[in-house]
Amino acid sequence: MKKFIMMSFLFLCIALGGCDDGTDFCEVIVNDDCSNGWTDSRIGFDSESVHCGNDESIYFGMERVNNIDDNPLFYSNPSLYEKNPFELYLYFGENAVASKDSVWILETDSTKVASCEKLDFSNKKLNGSFCLNKFESSTGRDYANFYSDGSEKKENWKHYIIYSKYNSYKAFCIIESYKCALLYSCVIQYDGTYNFSRIPTLDAVKRKNIWCIFD
């Protein structure tokens, strides 16, 4: 049903000519809470939009900071396991290298910003620059820094990214990963430009409130 509504909106945009004029917007807002209580929850990108999914060659997902297999203390002290935090990663497989898709992550570290390939996109309300993530190997994962507004609060696990689907849409997204939560909201632009009308927020996401499930 969600895909049908989105496609109907796109056909309406095309019929009205909005997607043919770079000065007009033809965009939709999509959001979801992908949390399922486990670390296999993912946010992927298909040919039409962004979604919760497990079968994409390029996706965001979580892993625990400490591998319990490398630390026997986690087995003897369950409280340590429960406090083991998560980090967000961008995962990519062999298909990602050949896809020609692009992922730009907002960086606030001046050292990284100085050496990265930047997207020609800026917003005065966001500090930092969008840096290109290059898929230079057949398989891998890259840590996605949490966005910092200068306060350095550890609970601020919000990541801003821009995803460019080759010959298709652009998605300006905010992703939140904290504990076992993984949710997103994206402004998706279908006119081929980066002329997003707003900064995405998580205000409209209906949260599932599913927290960590432990074995």
Side-chain angles (χ1 to χ4, degrees):
M1 178 61 70
K2 183 184 297 184
K3 180 177 290 188
F4 174 78
I5 294 174
M6 184 181 71
M7 292 304 298
S8 299
F9 179 84
L10 290 179
F11 289 139
L12 178 61
C13 286
I14 295 172
L16 295 177
C19 289
D20 297 328
D21 185 349
T23 62
D24 294 332
F25 289 105
C26 184
E27 64 181 24
V28 296
I29 308 296
V30 296
N31 56 66
D32 204 349
D33 184 345
C34 301
S35 310
N36 60 13
W38 303 89
T39 59
D40 61 353
S41 56
R42 301 174 180 180
I43 298 171
F45 308 86
D46 61 22
S47 60
E48 297 175 350
S49 186
V50 186
H51 63 92
C52 299
N54 297 315
D55 57 351
E56 298 302 318
S57 59
I58 303 174
Y59 63 90
F60 285 92
M62 294 182 296
E63 282 190 25
R64 290 189 180 274
V65 173
N66 300 301
N67 188 339
I68 61 173
D69 294 331
D70 297 333
N71 191 339
L73 289 176
F74 285 109
Y75 293 104
S76 59
N77 191 339
S79 64
L80 290 178
Y81 181 76
E82 294 177 8
K83 294 177 182 178
N84 188 5
F86 292 90
E87 291 181 328
L88 183 74
Y89 290 89
L90 172 65
Y91 296 85
F92 52 94
E94 184 175 354
N95 293 335
V97 181
S99 70
K100 297 184 180 180
D101 294 353
S102 301
V103 180
W104 309 81
I105 299 178
L106 183 66
E107 292 284 0
T108 58
D109 186 314
S110 58
T111 302
K112 292 182 179 180
V113 170
S115 60
C116 78
E117 182 177 337
K118 303 173 187 63
L119 179 66
D120 186 17
F121 173 87
S122 62
N123 190 294
K124 294 181 179 179
K125 294 183 179 179
L126 295 177
N127 296 321
S129 299
F130 283 92
C131 292
L132 177 65
N133 186 288
K134 296 182 179 180
F135 307 121
E136 297 177 331
S137 60
S138 60
T139 58
R141 67 172 193 174
D142 289 323
Y143 173 66
N145 288 328
F146 67 88
Y147 177 72
S148 172
D149 60 3
S151 62
E152 299 298 332
K153 294 181 179 178
K154 291 184 178 180
E155 66 268 20
N156 188 12
W157 293 95
K158 294 180 175 64
H159 319 253
Y160 288 92
I161 67 106
I162 293 179
Y163 186 92
S164 176
K165 174 66 68 174
Y166 182 67
N167 278 341
S168 186
Y169 65 85
K170 318 293 184 186
F172 184 13
C173 305
I174 181 173
I175 300 174
E176 179 178 295
S177 61
Y178 179 64
K179 293 186 177 179
C180 287
L182 184 63
L183 54 155
Y184 72 89
S185 180
C186 299
V187 180
I188 301 183
Q189 179 61 267
Y190 290 94
D191 69 357
T193 73
Y194 294 95
N195 296 329
F196 303 104
S197 65
R198 70 203 78 182
I199 296 176
T201 72
L202 295 165
D203 297 341
V205 179
K206 186 177 181 181
R207 297 170 185 259
K208 297 177 182 177
N209 292 319
I210 299 177
W211 299 107
C212 300
I213 299 173
F214 304 102
D215 296 329

